[in-house]
């Protein structure tokens, strides 16, 4: 069994009174559980060059990957980055821990904006909509003033500018009185 010291996965406990080194850590605990469950024994050693393994110019590998490829080790145990080059020459288990870069930011203050309903459109578009409602409202008023509708006797028609604007706005938002 080949391993690398990488806290908290593999750590070496202090050598006390000439006793051999004892390895401990999360990966060692997993290895012990597998050993008990599957019934195998193992011996841990560290790669002679203390490297994880990169491909050399001549195509050979050094470090942990080199030890596995030369069959000096059956299993490698380490916090090793899975790269396409390494994956093409050795088999990996699925990851049980993933390191990623994180960025911390101060939490934004939550403010309530009373104009949030206007956010879907740009200010220039809202100005065009308001201008269009105003222009069409004035045109409806002028057309009603120049050519009043013929109503039966006793009917009252209110053709004020306010009512014309309200009519155009109600038509725009599809709402009425």
């Amino acid at each position: 069994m080949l391993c690398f010291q990488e806290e908290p996965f593999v750590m070496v406990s202090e050598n006390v009174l000439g006793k051999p080194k004892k390895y401990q850590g999360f990966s060692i605990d997993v290895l012990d559980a597998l050993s008990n469950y599957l019934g195998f024994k193992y011996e841990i050693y560290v790669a002679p060059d203390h490297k994880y393994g990169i491909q050399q110019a001549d195509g050979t590998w050094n470090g942990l990957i080199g030890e596995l490829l030369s069959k000096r080790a059956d299993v490698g145990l380490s916090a090793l980055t899975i790269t396409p080059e390494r994956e093409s020459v050795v088999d990996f288990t699925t990851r049980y821990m993933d390191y990623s870069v994180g960025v911390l930011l101060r939490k934004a203050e939550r403010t309530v904006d009373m104009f949030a309903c206007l956010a879907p459109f740009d200010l220039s578009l809202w100005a065009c909509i308001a201008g269009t409602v105003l222009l069409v409202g004035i045109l409806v008023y002028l057309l009603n003033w120049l050519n009043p509708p013929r109503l039966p006797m006793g009917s009252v028609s209110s053709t004020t500018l306010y009512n014309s604007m309200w009519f155009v706005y109600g038509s725009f938002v599809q709402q009425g009185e």
Side-chain angles (χ1 to χ4, degrees):
M1 175 67 60
L2 180 63
C3 75
F4 271 107
Q5 262 188 271
E6 184 82 35
E7 291 184 10
F9 304 106
V10 178
M11 300 173 285
V12 178
S13 63
E14 292 297 321
N15 187 355
V16 180
L17 299 174
K19 291 184 179 177
K21 290 182 182 178
K22 177 144 175 65
Y23 292 95
Q24 60 188 12
F26 182 75
S27 295
I28 302 299
D29 293 342
V30 170
L31 185 61
D32 286 337
L34 283 172
S35 172
N36 290 335
Y37 183 74
L38 298 173
F40 66 87
K41 293 189 186 282
Y42 62 89
E43 182 181 324
I44 296 177
Y45 77 98
V46 179
D49 58 1
H50 298 284
K51 296 188 178 186
Y52 290 103
I54 58 172
Q55 193 170 19
Q56 305 299 310
D58 62 356
T60 61
W61 287 80
N62 66 358
L64 186 136
I65 303 294
E67 293 291 303
L68 290 170
L69 290 175
S70 66
K71 300 194 190 275
R72 288 188 291 269
D74 295 319
V75 176
L77 185 65
S78 175
L80 184 68
T81 304
I82 301 172
T83 63
E85 295 82 20
R86 289 175 178 163
E87 203 168 26
S88 68
V89 293
V90 295
D91 290 327
F92 286 89
T93 62
T94 57
R95 294 187 296 226
Y96 54 84
M97 182 147 201
D98 193 12
Y99 286 110
S100 61
V101 176
V103 177
L104 298 176
L105 299 173
R106 186 171 45 95
K107 191 173 183 179
E109 293 180 15
R110 196 96 167 142
T111 59
V112 177
D113 185 14
M114 61 189 285
F115 297 108
C117 62
L118 302 177
F121 298 134
D122 192 31
L123 182 61
S124 60
L125 183 60
W126 282 115
C128 288
I129 291 171
T132 303
V133 168
L134 181 67
L135 181 66
V136 173
I138 291 172
L139 287 174
V140 167
Y141 171 72
L142 288 175
L143 288 174
N144 276 332
W145 183 69
L146 291 174
N147 189 13
R150 301 183 200 281
L151 297 172
M153 291 294 287
S155 299
V156 178
S157 171
S158 176
T159 56
T160 64
L161 183 59
Y162 172 79
N163 285 344
S164 297
M165 293 292 210
W166 187 250
F167 172 75
V168 172
Y169 173 76
S171 299
F172 177 70
V173 296
Q174 297 181 354
Q175 296 293 319
E177 291 183 58

